[in-house]
Amino acid sequence: MAAGKMRAAGQATKPLTKFDSAQLLWVVISMVGMFPLVILALLALIILLVIFGMAGGSQMSSISPETDPSASASSTNSINAVIELSGGDGRGTFSGKNVPDQDLVAPIKSAAKKCDLLTPVIIAAQIDYASEFGAEKKGPQGGKGLSQLTDEVFDEYGEDDDDSGEASVLDAEDSIHAHARYFCHLAVETQRLLKDKKVAGDHLTLTLMAWEMGLPAVEANGGMPVLVLDSYPFQIRGLFAKYTATDDEEPDTDADGDGDDPAADPTSPTTPPTQDGTNADPDGDGATLLSGSTFNAMFPHRNSFYSYAGLTDAMKKFPAFAGTGNEQTRKRELAAFLANINHESGGLVHVEEINQAAWGNYCDAGQPYGCPAGQTAYHGRGPIQLSWNTNYKAAGDALGLDLLNNPDLVKNDSSVAWQTALWFWMTQSGAGSMTAHDAITGGGGFGETIRTINGALECGGGNSAQVQARVDAYKRFAATLGVDPGDEGALRC
C-alpha cells in the first residue's frame, strides 16, 4: 500500500519537476517577453531611489533656496541625474525628420538662436505637445497656432517674421519666432529669480514652468523644489528624444537653408558657446548695421583713438553682438551698446579715467595674482572704462592677452580697447542679474543694461539724472539707426 502511494505521489508530482520540450519552450518565451517590463521596472526603481536620496532617505522634502551649500550640491547632483533620465536638457543635435511639415525645420532652427537656453529640440518638443504641429489649432483657453500662444502674448512678442505683410499667430513662422522671444523673456526672468535665491530648480525646468503657469506662480511656489515627474517640464523633456538625432542618423547638412554644413561650421547652434558666452551662429553681421559715416555722425567729437576700424575688428571676435535675433533686436543692441559707452567715455573722448586721484582704488591685493603692474595700474580705460585687476585678468584671459601685466594695451590698441568693452557687454552680469547682451536679446530692456554696468549707483533712484542721460543717448542712437527703442517702461532701472 505504501509503495503504491509513493508511486502515485511520484506520478502526481512528475509534471512539477520534469518539463517536456513544449513546456520548457513556453517558459523561455515567457521569460524573454517579460524582459522589457523588468528593464522598465528597474528604471523606475532607479528614479525613485534617486528622488528618495534627495529627500535624505526618509521623505521628500523641499530644497529651499537657502539650503546649506554642501547639501545643495548633493541635491543638485541628484536632480541632474533625474533630469538626464527624464530626457536631458534638449541640447543634443537636432533632428527634423519627425517635424510633420519640413518647411518648419528652418524657422525652428533660426528661432532657437534667440537665447542661449533655447534649442531647436526644445521648440519642437513644446510645439508637439501644444498642438502636434497644428498651425490652425485654437485651444479652449485662448491659445492659438503651433505654440498655442494667447493673443496677449503674441501681441507683445509676435512680428511679421516671414515678411508676408502681416503678423499672425496662425502663421507658422510668425508663431515659431514669437514662441522663441517669449521663451527667452521667461528665461531672463527665471534667471533673475535664481540669482535672487527666490526659487529652487534648474534654469530650463523653471523656464518651462513659467511657460505653463506664469512667472508669478513660479515665484509663489518657490520654483520646483521637489521634482514632479508628471509636470509640464518633464512631459516636454519626454519628447526631446523624438527630435534629437541618434548616433547612426545622418546629420542635417542644410536645415536652415544657408548652404552650410553645421557639422563643419563652428557657428552651428549645437556647437559649444564661443568666448562671448552665446551661441555663435548670428542671424546677421552686426557691422553691416553701422557705416563709418554713421559712426562719425554719432560721435562728432570722439578721440581718434576710438576708430571705426577698431570697433569693427573687435566685433568680428564677438559675432553674436548685434547679430542675434531679427533686425530690430540687432539694431537695438547696437544702439544700447553705443549709448552706454558714450556715457562711460564722455562721447568717446576719454581713453583713461579722468579722476586720477581714484587710480589707486582698483587693486584687489587679496587675489593670488595680485597687482603686478602696480597699485594704480588698473584704473578705468577704454570705451567701457574697464577697471580693477580682477577684470583686467578675466578680460585678458578671455581675449588671449596679458592685460594683467600690460593693462596699457587697452589705451594703446584701439581694437583691444573695443574688445574689452564687448567682452564685458557679452559675458559679464556686473552689478545686475544678466549680461547686457541678454538684457536686449532676451527682452529685459535697455534699463537692465544700465543695471549691469552701474547697478545701485544709478538704478533704484541712485542717480536718476545719469540714467536719463543714458536713455536720451539710446533714443538718439536708435533713431539714427532707424529702430524703435522699445517699451518706455523698460528703458530705465
Side-chain angles (χ1 to χ4, degrees):
M1 176 69 71
K5 287 184 177 179
M6 290 181 65
R7 283 194 299 272
Q11 291 171 352
T13 59
K14 183 177 180 180
L16 299 177
T17 59
K18 183 177 181 181
F19 297 104
D20 59 29
S21 59
Q23 290 173 319
L24 183 61
L25 180 62
W26 174 252
V27 170
V28 172
I29 292 173
S30 299
M31 292 177 67
V32 172
M34 292 178 64
F35 185 72
L37 296 178
V38 173
I39 295 299
L40 289 174
L42 287 173
L43 181 60
L45 179 61
I46 291 170
I47 292 175
L48 288 174
L49 287 174
V50 172
I51 296 174
F52 187 70
M54 286 169 50
S58 55
Q59 61 182 359
M60 290 183 68
S61 57
S62 297
I63 305 170
S64 168
E66 305 299 330
T67 302
D68 174 70
S70 60
S72 178
S74 175
S75 297
T76 298
N77 290 335
S78 300
I79 291 171
N80 290 340
V82 175
I83 287 172
E84 193 61 34
L85 288 169
S86 304
D89 58 6
R91 306 203 78 81
T93 302
F94 178 55
S95 171
K97 68 179 183 180
N98 287 321
V99 176
D101 183 351
Q102 288 294 294
D103 288 341
L104 300 182
V105 172
I108 288 173
K109 293 188 73 175
S110 175
K113 302 170 189 175
K114 288 183 170 35
C115 63
D116 291 346
L117 184 64
L118 189 57
T119 71
V121 172
I122 295 172
I123 294 180
Q126 284 190 281
I127 291 175
D128 190 331
Y129 182 89
S131 69
E132 296 181 332
F133 285 88
E136 301 294 326
K137 181 177 179 179
K138 296 183 179 180
Q141 305 301 320
K144 297 177 183 178
L146 288 174
S147 302
Q148 290 295 283
L149 302 176
T150 62
D151 288 336
E152 180 182 7
V153 169
F154 187 80
D155 286 346
E156 183 168 357
Y157 298 98
E159 298 178 13
D160 180 18
D161 288 285
D162 61 353
D163 297 322
S164 66
E166 178 185 7
S168 171
V169 70
L170 298 179
D171 180 296
E173 190 165 345
D174 292 354
S175 177
I176 290 170
H177 282 276
H179 175 137
R181 292 188 192 96
Y182 181 48
F183 181 100
C184 292
H185 161 71
L186 296 176
V188 169
E189 296 303 315
T190 52
Q191 184 64 50
R192 192 202 315 275
L193 294 176
L194 277 169
K195 183 166 185 177
D196 293 343
K197 297 184 179 180
K198 293 182 178 180
V199 295
D202 70 281
H203 193 195
L204 177 57
T205 295
L206 294 173
T207 302
L208 291 171
M209 281 181 67
W211 180 282
E212 176 71 4
M213 62 174 58
L215 283 163
V218 173
E219 183 172 359
N221 288 340
M224 188 178 283
V226 176
L227 297 180
V228 182
L229 298 181
D230 63 347
S231 62
Y232 175 77
F234 285 91
Q235 291 184 57
I236 296 301
R237 280 190 163 98
L239 291 168
F240 285 172
K242 184 175 180 180
Y243 299 101
T244 302
T246 58
D247 292 339
D248 58 351
E249 187 174 335
E250 287 292 325
D252 180 3
T253 58
D254 193 21
D256 50 6
D258 59 7
D260 295 327
D261 178 357
D265 182 0
T267 64
S268 168
T270 58
T271 57
T274 58
Q275 66 178 9
D276 59 13
T278 62
N279 288 331
D281 189 355
D283 294 336
D285 181 359
T288 63
L289 301 176
L290 181 69
S291 67
S293 59
T294 301
F295 175 74
N296 290 333
M298 287 176 163
F299 300 98
H301 307 296
R302 66 178 174 84
N303 188 312
S304 60
F305 171 76
Y306 292 117
S307 68
Y308 175 74
L311 172 59
T312 54
D313 181 68
M315 288 173 69
K316 294 175 184 176
K317 296 175 173 59
F318 294 87
F321 170 69
T324 302
N326 60 18
E327 185 173 325
Q328 180 185 64
T329 301
R330 291 160 52 209
K331 285 184 175 181
R332 283 178 179 172
E333 181 172 21
L334 187 57
F337 173 75
L338 293 174
N340 278 299
I341 60 101
N342 171 79
H343 188 83
E344 293 296 320
S345 63
L348 290 184
V349 171
H350 306 297
V351 178
E352 293 186 278
E353 184 176 351
I354 58 177
N355 182 15
Q356 295 189 20
W359 281 17
N361 297 337
Y362 304 111
C363 171
D364 182 356
Q367 297 298 326
Y369 44 78
C371 301
Q375 177 77 22
T376 63
Y378 303 100
H379 54 273
R381 294 181 182 86
I384 205 75
Q385 290 292 282
L386 185 73
S387 55
W388 288 95
N389 58 327
T390 51
N391 284 326
Y392 276 89
K393 173 72 163 61
D397 289 348
L399 299 172
L401 302 167
D402 187 7
L403 297 183
L404 182 66
N405 286 290
N406 191 7
D408 278 343
L409 273 176
V410 182
K411 75 167 187 176
N412 293 330
D413 187 312
S414 179
S415 177
V416 171
W418 284 112
Q419 287 175 52
T420 61
L422 288 174
W423 165 80
F424 183 89
W425 183 269
M426 300 298 295
T427 69
Q428 303 300 297
S429 58
S433 61
M434 66 192 79
T435 67
H437 171 74
D438 287 343
I440 298 297
T441 61
F446 180 72
E448 288 302 316
T449 70
I450 304 174
R451 191 185 308 278
T452 294
I453 293 171
N454 250 6
L457 291 176
E458 295 184 18
C459 296
N463 195 327
S464 299
Q466 297 291 330
V467 170
Q468 188 58 49
R470 292 181 193 262
V471 172
D472 290 344
Y474 172 59
K475 288 182 174 180
R476 185 170 68 252
F477 291 156
T480 300
L481 295 173
V483 65
D484 183 274
D487 181 14
E488 183 72 24
L491 299 186
R492 295 166 181 81
C493 56

